[in-house]
Amino acid sequence: MSEPADTADTFSPPTPVLSVGPVVLPAPGRAVDLEVRVSAPVTGSDLPVVLLSHGQGHSNHLSSLNGYAPLANFWAAHGFAVIQPTHLSSRTLTLAPDTPGAPLYWRSRAEDMKHILDRFDVIEAAVPQFLGRLDRTRVAVAGHSMGGHTASLLLGARLTDPHDGTEVNLLEPRIKAGVLLAAPGRGGDALTESAAKDFPFLLTPDFSTMTTPALVVAGDKDASAHLTVRGPEWHTDPYFLSTGPKSLLTLFDAEHGLGGVSGYDVAETTDESPERVSAVQRLTWAYLRTELYPGDPAWQTARDALTAASSPLGRVESK
């Protein structure tokens, strides 16, 4: 991939994006075949890849390959190939409630990402415009909310399977960096009684094994009271309870939607802010750019721009 003229505070105009979906990946043993959307700039080669895992929420289509356009479009317009699966937890699917893994399919979600990595040839063959253009050595994962939980497992976090008591290790070494957006934090007494009962897999996360570089993004007003009794700081656990190298972006006055990253003009976004979404777009792009291309100044430039603003939208710390 050629070096772009972009910096995190003075981006060049976005390039046109080609977005194709659904691309169907046969998945024997899965309740339904895996459908993905692929978005990438119309020109360029050796494109780094971001696997983007959707959250849940109340809307019908944000939890699918059709959600998260503010992130997918921006990253693709600035040089990434973005692949978005429809996980089995998607509201677009009408699976029986007794389907194994229901309702949130935490293990299947991570396996979806591994399946995508195993099927790059199928994706390229299905969309000839992408043939030979994906850089399989530069792959990142990003996820919002439940998607952040999925990303954390692929980055090395572990948990105890509530069904059989075994330790689950879904680390994916082909993934070189990650972005966790409003991801769940630690379990145990940090969870509400209802969350512990309904989602027992959230009881036992272990972030100490999450060694892959990652950027954790958290809103300082994201209470998530239906899941945790700890308030907004719960979403910073993946940073404070993991080993470095990690960075934490705390967004001021941001709630769970982080300004509206899950879709354009989404009614369930309680903190709608185009300025905040723009900050998330630019800072996440810059972080991934530097992690996948060591020595690239994009991340430092983005951090400097955030600090230099007259009214900063957030702060960054690293370890």
Side-chain angles (χ1 to χ4, degrees):
M1 178 180 177
S2 59
E3 296 296 316
D6 299 334
T7 63
D9 59 343
T10 55
F11 275 74
S12 64
T15 60
V17 169
L18 174 65
S19 185
V20 180
V23 176
V24 180
L25 304 181
R30 196 175 184 266
V32 295
D33 285 337
L34 177 60
E35 294 187 351
V36 304
R37 173 177 296 279
V38 187
S39 303
V42 297
T43 60
S45 58
D46 297 325
L47 302 175
V49 177
V50 181
L51 308 181
L52 176 54
S53 179
H54 62 72
Q56 292 309 118
H58 304 296
S59 298
N60 290 323
H61 291 276
L62 297 180
S63 60
S64 77
L65 57 81
N66 293 315
Y68 293 85
L71 296 179
N73 290 347
F74 185 90
W75 294 337
H78 293 89
F80 284 89
V82 183
I83 304 178
Q84 300 173 256
T86 295
H87 297 302
L88 291 179
S89 59
S90 173
R91 291 172 65 92
T92 64
L93 301 177
T94 55
L95 302 179
D98 60 351
T99 302
L104 291 183
Y105 301 90
W106 60 267
R107 185 190 292 269
S108 171
R109 281 170 148 269
E111 291 172 345
D112 288 346
M113 300 309 211
K114 293 174 177 285
H115 191 66
I116 291 169
L117 294 174
D118 292 338
R119 300 296 188 275
F120 272 1
D121 288 342
V122 176
I123 293 172
E124 291 189 3
V127 190
Q129 295 90 338
F130 298 144
L131 188 61
R133 298 178 61 207
L134 306 182
D135 186 343
R136 305 181 189 204
T137 70
R138 290 186 169 97
V139 178
V141 65
H144 175 246
S145 193
M146 185 60 195
H149 182 270
T150 301
S152 72
L153 293 177
L154 294 164
L155 296 170
R158 300 182 185 180
L159 56 77
T160 301
D161 190 319
H163 296 293
D164 61 18
T166 59
E167 183 182 56
V168 177
N169 178 6
L170 294 170
L171 173 67
E172 177 47 72
R174 289 172 290 185
I175 293 174
K176 307 305 182 184
V179 174
L180 309 184
L181 301 148
R186 69 175 179 86
D189 61 5
L191 298 185
T192 63
E193 184 177 343
S194 61
K197 176 182 176 182
D198 296 338
F199 312 120
F201 65 90
L202 289 178
L203 281 167
T204 57
D206 179 3
F207 296 108
S208 69
T209 55
M210 192 174 75
T211 57
T212 308
L215 170 64
V216 177
V217 182
D220 68 3
K221 297 293 176 60
D222 182 7
S224 295
H226 62 299
L227 293 176
T228 182
V229 298
R230 292 186 59 228
E233 68 177 17
W234 186 60
H235 295 286
T236 67
D237 285 346
Y239 173 77
F240 288 109
L241 300 181
S242 65
T243 59
K246 298 289 186 299
S247 290
L248 171 65
L249 167 61
T250 301
L251 295 168
F252 302 149
D253 297 319
E255 298 176 16
H256 200 61
L258 305 178
V261 298
S262 62
Y264 299 115
D265 297 325
V266 174
E268 66 196 52
T269 298
T270 56
D271 65 331
E272 185 171 20
S273 169
E275 295 79 13
R276 188 174 298 128
V277 171
S278 178
V280 174
Q281 290 170 330
R282 291 166 179 247
L283 285 154
T284 55
W285 177 90
Y287 177 83
L288 292 176
R289 176 70 196 179
T290 295
E291 283 299 329
L292 295 179
Y293 297 88
D296 190 293
W299 177 230
Q300 187 60 56
T301 302
R303 295 182 62 168
D304 292 345
L306 181 69
T307 303
S310 56
S311 298
L313 295 174
R315 66 176 181 272
V316 173
E317 54 193 287
S318 298
K319 64 179 182 179

